[in-house]
Amino acid sequence: MRPVISLLIAVSASIGSVCAFAQKPATLTFETHAAFFSTETDQAAPLDPQVFVQAVGTPTGRGPQGIDHVGDIRNARVGDSGALPIYNAHGKPLVMNLGEWLGARGTVTLEPRNDGSERIDVSLAGLQPGAEYSLFENHFDTHPIGFTPLDGTGQSNSFAADSYGVARVTVTAPKALTHDNAVLVVFHSDNQSHGEMRGDVGINAHHQLIARIP
């Protein structure tokens, strides 16, 4: 019986190692929402569907994400000059240029908990100093794609960047995220948090960074 017992012990140890590995934190790098959206929708020229630049003579219209915009502006393109000021869909300045908008960066570390929840640590730089942001979870398994506060309640998912444009935030998601999900950083150009809601996308809420779970 000893060989069988030894085999069972070895298998048990192996399973334990796999489980332990599965619980290790995973760190992902954010990409701009503009790049993510353009890849996912096969845009011929990569663009940002939620921020705009001046384009005198452009009529009112609807962008590729269904956001209606006023005239004389168009969706910002990734290849545009970084010095161009950016605007919301109503033509209101967003108090930064395109280079600053696309220059945001950061990482997210996900650590599953034994109770099924997940600790999520977000580290960001290149944000608008003092501006208001929030963290949301994408649900790619719903149609249309759904969005919920990363903390599940909208109580602890909002934060402000410091005077250097840096932010470090920790939230607990009620369930571990899967490939059906992503961590989304939303910029609020009205400088207000919106609790369980993102706000009016393209007007006072703008997706800036995203990290889809592998």
Side-chain angles (χ1 to χ4, degrees):
M1 294 295 293
R2 285 183 180 176
V4 174
I5 293 174
S6 298
L7 178 61
L8 288 173
I9 292 174
V11 170
S12 177
S14 176
I15 291 173
S17 297
V18 171
C19 291
F21 177 78
Q23 294 299 310
K24 286 184 178 180
T27 299
L28 309 174
T29 300
F30 282 107
E31 65 178 311
T32 64
H33 180 260
F36 180 83
F37 174 83
S38 297
T39 298
E40 290 292 302
T41 57
D42 295 320
Q43 297 293 319
L47 54 78
D48 193 306
Q50 298 182 8
V51 302
F52 303 81
V53 296
Q54 282 190 334
V56 177
T58 301
T60 58
R62 175 169 292 181
Q65 208 171 33
I67 299 171
D68 294 322
H69 63 82
V70 299
D72 293 329
I73 61 172
R74 61 163 172 78
N75 285 105
R77 301 184 186 118
V78 173
D80 285 334
S81 168
L84 289 175
I86 56 174
Y87 302 82
N88 72 2
H90 288 171
K92 181 179 179 179
L94 296 184
V95 200
M96 70 181 94
N97 61 39
L98 183 60
E100 292 168 331
W101 172 252
L102 296 177
R105 58 200 181 278
T107 59
V108 55
T109 299
L110 304 102
E111 183 178 358
R113 299 292 185 79
N114 291 333
D115 63 0
S117 66
E118 189 160 53
R119 173 185 168 123
I120 302 177
D121 295 305
V122 173
S123 180
L124 302 166
L127 303 180
Q128 180 70 9
E132 188 76 14
Y133 295 82
S134 60
L135 297 171
F136 275 78
E137 177 181 342
N138 296 58
H139 298 274
F140 294 107
D141 54 342
T142 64
H143 301 282
I145 295 170
F147 300 89
T148 55
L150 192 58
D151 65 347
T153 63
Q155 299 294 314
S156 60
N157 67 317
S158 295
F159 61 94
D162 69 13
S163 59
Y164 297 98
V166 170
R168 292 180 177 84
V169 190
T170 297
V171 300
T172 300
K175 294 182 180 179
L177 278 61
T178 71
H179 184 60
D180 288 330
N181 309 122
V183 176
L184 179 69
V185 179
V186 180
F187 165 65
H188 298 289
S189 56
D190 60 355
N191 215 35
Q192 302 290 324
S193 61
H194 293 262
E196 295 184 20
M197 308 301 292
R198 290 169 295 158
D200 295 320
V201 177
I203 298 172
N204 57 33
H206 315 265
H207 298 181
Q208 189 166 15
L209 296 170
I210 187 169
R212 185 162 188 179
I213 312 307

